[in-house]
Amino acid sequence: MTNQTIIPRPASLWLIAQFELRKALSGTRGLIGLGAFILCWLVLLIYPIGSAANWLSQPGFIDMVRAFTEGQANEILSWKVPEMAMFWVLALYLFPLSVLMVSADMFATDRQQGTLRFLLQRASRHEIFWGRLLGHLILQTLLIALAIAATLLMAMLRQADTLAAGLQQALWVLPALVINALPYLALMALLSVVCRSSRMSILWAIIILLLGGLVIQLLTYNLPILSFMTDIIPGSQLSAMINTKGAGVLGHILIPVIQSLLLLAAGAIIFWRKRL
């Protein structure tokens, strides 16, 4: 049976990924989401990112930040392109939110409407699962690359000779942000398989990330022996990633990679066994 194929066919994966991209970037819902993304980053580019050079060029502001952070922000303050430094801080926290919004309906609606049964006549469950995941991963990579390109353009308009340094930083920032978004993408794939709607997927994601994180913080505070549990919730490495630069931005990717593998394994197994 086709729907029992264990090894996904590359051609099928790519076709499904392309379909997900077209669905996300076309139609009313996709265009509204893309417009909201562009508007959000336009506001960020004009205000905090665009003003970064002015702030970081003032010694008094830098001294205040260093004093407030007790010297823990020295790396981020030494980035050669201030706009990229501000973008890095904002993107670490905003792109996971983008994943939650865009990828919440990876499977839920199609499962409720019976569309997946139709697709199973032409592709295996693994091809559908990994193909859709690939499509959403490509989409998030394109969105991150678009935001980086806009930030570099903003930096060039301020000072043209920042392009080389900005591109050098972007080569590290792009893969770091994509890997940082992976656990959230894996979480939404899992929740979209389990939940009945995209709204429920988002709700459970918020509960897991906020309430789950709070519970683990309380446990580790009272029982330090359980400190390893802080790495269970996606995003546990974000605060450590902020104060990095250059190749150092990839210094904390092991945690999100392991989180992604575990969540994806759980999602793939449940999708394989779940009645569609």
Side-chain angles (χ1 to χ4, degrees):
M1 294 291 291
T2 302
N3 60 0
Q4 296 298 321
T5 301
I6 296 178
I7 301 177
R9 295 166 295 181
S12 295
L13 288 177
W14 180 237
L15 284 174
I16 295 171
Q18 285 180 305
F19 177 78
E20 284 299 298
L21 280 173
R22 287 195 297 267
K23 185 173 70 172
L25 297 175
S26 62
T28 303
R29 185 174 179 178
L31 292 176
I32 291 176
L34 183 61
F37 173 85
I38 293 174
L39 180 61
C40 175
W41 278 102
L42 183 61
V43 172
L44 293 174
L45 284 169
I46 293 174
Y47 293 104
I49 295 177
S51 304
N54 295 329
W55 293 344
L56 296 180
S57 63
Q58 300 177 12
F61 176 80
I62 294 178
D63 293 339
M64 181 185 69
V65 173
R66 284 175 174 164
F68 183 75
T69 60
E70 298 181 350
Q72 296 180 4
N74 290 332
E75 292 293 329
I76 191 65
L77 291 173
S78 64
W79 281 43
K80 294 180 180 180
V81 182
E83 290 86 353
M84 284 297 295
M86 182 62 70
F87 168 81
W88 169 248
V89 174
L90 294 173
L92 276 176
Y93 291 94
L94 292 181
F95 274 107
L97 293 178
S98 171
V99 172
L100 298 187
M101 298 297 109
V102 174
S103 302
D105 196 19
M106 209 178 299
F107 304 104
T109 299
D110 285 340
R111 187 162 54 84
Q112 288 300 109
Q113 295 178 348
T115 310
L116 289 177
R117 297 191 192 98
F118 173 77
L119 293 175
L120 283 173
Q121 298 176 14
R122 293 161 174 79
S124 71
R125 292 189 179 222
H126 283 307
E127 288 168 350
I128 294 173
F129 182 85
W130 296 108
R132 289 196 168 188
L133 184 75
L134 176 61
H136 282 265
L137 177 59
I138 294 173
L139 174 62
Q140 290 299 323
T141 303
L142 290 175
L143 293 177
I144 293 172
L146 178 63
I148 290 176
T151 303
L152 290 176
L153 179 60
M154 174 75 70
M156 284 181 58
L157 292 176
R158 176 183 61 86
Q159 190 173 348
D161 59 3
T162 59
L163 178 60
L167 286 174
Q168 185 178 14
Q169 292 173 346
L171 290 176
W172 299 111
V173 167
L174 177 60
L177 289 177
V178 172
I179 295 172
N180 179 62
L182 269 177
Y184 300 92
L185 186 60
L187 176 63
M188 297 317 295
L190 172 60
L191 291 176
S192 186
V193 169
V194 175
C195 296
R196 293 180 177 271
S197 66
S198 59
R199 187 174 301 176
M200 288 300 299
S201 297
I202 295 174
L203 179 60
W204 274 108
I206 293 173
I207 292 174
I208 291 171
L209 295 174
L210 296 184
L211 185 59
L214 178 61
V215 170
I216 289 177
Q217 287 294 331
L218 291 174
L219 284 175
T220 55
Y221 178 78
N222 292 285
L223 298 171
I225 195 173
L226 299 177
S227 59
F228 68 91
M229 293 182 64
T230 57
D231 293 334
I232 294 177
I233 302 296
S236 59
Q237 77 288 350
L238 291 182
S239 58
M241 291 181 71
I242 289 179
N243 189 36
T244 54
K245 71 175 181 178
V249 301
L250 295 174
H252 300 276
I253 64 172
L254 182 60
I255 292 175
V257 167
I258 294 175
Q259 291 171 342
S260 302
L261 292 175
L262 293 175
L263 289 169
L264 288 174
I269 292 172
I270 294 174
F271 191 73
W272 174 264
R273 296 176 177 272
K274 196 172 184 66
R275 183 177 178 180
L276 303 178

